[in-house]
Amino acid sequence: DSWVNRKVRICWECGKISKDFQNFFTYDIDIELILNKIMINEPKNELSIMDCINYLSERATLYNVYCRNCHQKTNFMKDSHIFLTQKVFTVLLREMENIEYINKIKNEKIKIKINESLDLSNIVKYKASNSSLRYNIHGMVMFDSEKLEYIAYTINLLDGKWYKYVKENVFQVELKDFINKYDFKKFP
């Protein structure tokens, strides 16, 4: 089962309302885009996954977009939110490619905070089941650009313990050892 994201755009000139429903299995977060929009207006040294989700769900203005109804470039009001949920919520933090942003994060020591749980109750418009809209973290995969290797963290649901996987090595860790410590100095 997939999630559904609904995007609504309203043309400022003709008032035409466009609705677009998109199915998704992974909620994509483009850190470069978020940094460009949020951090420039409200500089801070920490940005959480929940901050990113809230930002992507906010109403915004799109400038100089072509309207198929009035056949001209105009401004649109955009509203986007998660419309339909499922039991599992998978977030993908897109790897940063722009060296300028990577250096900015390193130099200003900006941390990306991985929330231990995500409460989507203010964002989701419709639930598919009676399940809660609070999602707990069960795993994470990161890329260490210095060592050129992936590192995975997962919880064993049978014993409730967290494990770190690096190549063929497995280590038991505590959630507090890596949660909220996603540092772009180590993982750009």
Side-chain angles (χ1 to χ4, degrees):
D1 290 338
S2 68
W3 287 58
V4 178
N5 194 41
R6 183 177 83 167
K7 294 182 180 181
V8 177
R9 297 189 326 175
I10 302 171
C11 176
W12 286 11
E13 289 296 318
C14 67
K16 170 77 173 160
I17 299 173
S18 305
K19 293 181 184 178
D20 183 21
F21 290 87
Q22 298 172 325
N23 292 346
F24 68 95
F25 294 97
T26 302
Y27 195 78
D28 245 5
I29 296 178
D30 185 337
I31 297 295
E32 287 181 27
L33 172 73
I34 302 294
L35 284 171
N36 190 25
K37 301 292 184 185
I38 292 181
M39 300 300 273
I40 289 174
N41 295 332
E42 300 174 38
K44 48 187 172 180
N45 62 358
E46 184 177 279
L47 183 67
S48 76
I49 299 301
M50 204 63 226
D51 290 337
C52 295
I53 294 170
N54 283 330
Y55 171 76
L56 292 170
S57 300
E58 287 178 358
R59 190 169 279 180
T61 301
L62 303 174
Y63 298 98
N64 205 22
V65 177
Y66 183 77
C67 176
R68 292 181 188 165
N69 192 54
C70 59
H71 306 290
Q72 62 181 334
K73 286 193 174 186
T74 182
N75 297 337
F76 279 81
M77 188 277 295
K78 174 202 73 114
D79 187 18
S80 177
H81 57 266
I82 298 170
F83 187 71
L84 182 65
T85 66
Q86 302 299 331
K87 292 180 182 177
V88 176
F89 185 56
T90 304
V91 174
L92 170 65
L93 289 180
R94 270 210 231 142
E95 191 172 352
M96 296 182 65
E97 297 174 5
N98 185 328
I99 195 70
E100 180 184 326
Y101 283 108
I102 293 171
N103 289 333
K104 178 180 175 62
I105 287 172
K106 285 180 180 179
N107 295 337
E108 296 181 20
K109 298 181 180 169
I110 298 169
K111 294 198 184 280
I112 305 299
K113 180 180 173 190
I114 309 295
N115 304 77
E116 206 170 315
S117 66
L118 299 172
D119 183 1
L120 303 180
S121 58
N122 291 331
I123 295 169
V124 174
K125 302 299 180 193
Y126 177 75
K127 293 192 313 183
S129 67
N130 290 333
S131 62
S132 168
L133 290 176
R134 180 176 287 290
Y135 294 85
N136 295 321
I137 186 169
H138 287 131
M140 211 164 40
V141 177
M142 297 182 231
F143 182 72
D144 185 332
S145 62
E146 293 170 0
K147 296 179 181 176
L148 299 175
E149 63 189 14
Y150 285 94
I151 299 170
Y153 296 92
T154 61
I155 188 170
N156 180 325
L157 295 177
L158 297 175
D159 65 12
K161 294 179 181 170
W162 281 90
Y163 294 91
K164 175 181 178 178
Y165 302 84
V166 182
K167 295 184 180 176
E168 64 275 351
N169 301 311
V170 180
F171 309 94
Q172 186 177 340
V173 294
E174 295 293 323
L175 180 63
K176 64 179 175 43
D177 292 341
F178 67 91
I179 201 81
N180 300 335
K181 293 183 182 176
Y182 188 78
D183 188 340
F184 275 96
K185 287 185 291 182
K186 189 169 183 184
F187 301 108

